[in-house]
Amino acid sequence: MSLLPIALLLVVVYLLIARKSRVSLFRRLLVPTLFSLFVTLHLGINYVVSLIPNPEGISLSSSYLHWIFGDTNWSIERFRSAFRISSWVSFAWLCATAVVAFGRSRS
């Protein structure tokens, strides 16, 4: 999974730049949340597609998923594991964004 360290670095850099430019906390959290949901959606689609029996073997449903899985060691278990982890990360981002949005509306 070579994309994970790169994605984490990009999120940290984005949050630091957004903080220095005085963007609201809600907007700072919105971009990583949407990115996380996008990745989770595609991982879920790929996992479901991999469950369908195919005589040619397992394939990736999106070309950028090669960045996550590489060109080897594809398995239904790896797809499921990546989708499950991504789902929890997206849930955490959504919760954080919702808390900030709720706090923002109360102010």
Side-chain angles (χ1 to χ4, degrees), residues 66-84:
H66 280 280
W67 297 344
I68 296 173
F69 295 109
D71 289 329
T72 59
N73 298 327
W74 296 350
S75 70
I76 294 173
E77 180 58 34
R78 283 193 72 204
F79 293 160
R80 184 179 69 80
S81 176
F83 173 62
R84 191 172 61 212

Side-chain angles (χ1 to χ4, degrees), residues 29 33 88-102:
L29 293 177
T33 301
W88 282 109
V89 169
S90 293
F91 180 71
W93 278 113
L94 279 172
C95 288
T97 305
V99 166
V100 169
F102 182 71

Side-chain angles (χ1 to χ4, degrees), residues 1-79:
M1 290 192 179
S2 60
L3 180 66
L4 184 60
I6 295 169
L8 287 174
L9 179 67
L10 289 175
V11 167
V12 169
V13 168
Y14 166 77
L15 291 174
L16 290 173
I17 290 171
R19 182 177 183 196
K20 288 193 185 246
S21 64
R22 305 214 186 266
V23 174
S24 70
L25 182 58
F26 175 76
R27 289 187 186 218
R28 277 187 263 167
L29 293 177
L30 190 61
V31 171
T33 301
L34 292 175
F35 176 73
S36 180
L37 289 172
F38 177 77
V39 170
T40 300
L41 175 71
H42 281 277
L43 285 170
I45 290 170
N46 194 68
Y47 171 60
V48 170
V49 168
S50 71
L51 293 175
I52 300 169
N54 186 355
E56 296 178 9
I58 299 173
S59 66
L60 296 178
S61 60
S62 297
S63 60
Y64 68 87
L65 289 178
H66 280 280
W67 297 344
I68 296 173
F69 295 109
D71 289 329
T72 59
N73 298 327
W74 296 350
S75 70
I76 294 173
E77 180 58 34
R78 283 193 72 204
F79 293 160

